[in-house]
Amino acid sequence: MLGIALAYAGIALACTQVMATTARRRELTALRLAGATASQVRRLLAAEALTVAAVGTLLGVLVATLNLLTMTGALALLSTPTAPVLPWPALALTTGACTLITVTFAVLPAGRVRARQSR
């Protein structure tokens, strides 16, 4: 079940990044006309995508931690003390996959936009 949710999230993330990068066609053109190389534009887009992934990861971990602490407190009230356990390998794998998808689908459309402008 988790795999299906992660696949859907990956597709949604990729589509969002493609739309966001494609919508910035004029901005990318202005950067190129101002003297930025294609490599510099790709690095800028990759840095922005990494920032988005880092903020999303931090917010997700914050929300998950608050939920775990709330559930731990509720279970303690029921005389069932438990310690919250985070699945670190799964968390790292999910974060890595989302970061890879975000950067890839932010940089790839920039090449298409650039190629269309040169025609």
Side-chain angles (χ1 to χ4, degrees):
M1 189 65 131
L2 180 62
I4 294 171
L6 290 176
Y8 175 76
I11 291 168
L13 191 59
C15 290
T16 301
Q17 282 303 116
V18 168
M19 287 187 301
T21 303
T22 305
R24 295 174 61 188
R25 184 176 61 196
R26 286 186 178 173
E27 180 184 336
L28 298 175
T29 302
L31 285 171
R32 293 282 294 160
L33 291 173
T37 65
S39 176
Q40 288 172 328
V41 171
R42 283 192 302 270
R43 281 196 310 258
L44 172 72
L45 291 171
E48 289 175 356
L50 285 172
T51 302
V52 166
V55 169
T57 299
L58 289 175
L59 290 174
V61 168
L62 178 67
V63 169
T65 301
L66 290 174
N67 279 333
L68 281 174
L69 291 175
T70 302
M71 287 191 299
T72 300
L75 288 172
L77 289 174
L78 296 172
S79 299
T80 312
T82 58
V85 176
L86 290 175
W88 292 110
L91 183 62
L93 182 66
T94 303
T95 300
C98 288
T99 301
L100 180 66
I101 290 169
T102 301
V103 171
T104 301
F105 287 98
V107 173
L108 282 180
R112 288 183 179 173
V113 169
R114 186 176 42 86
R116 286 183 188 158
Q117 293 165 0
S118 65
R119 291 180 185 172

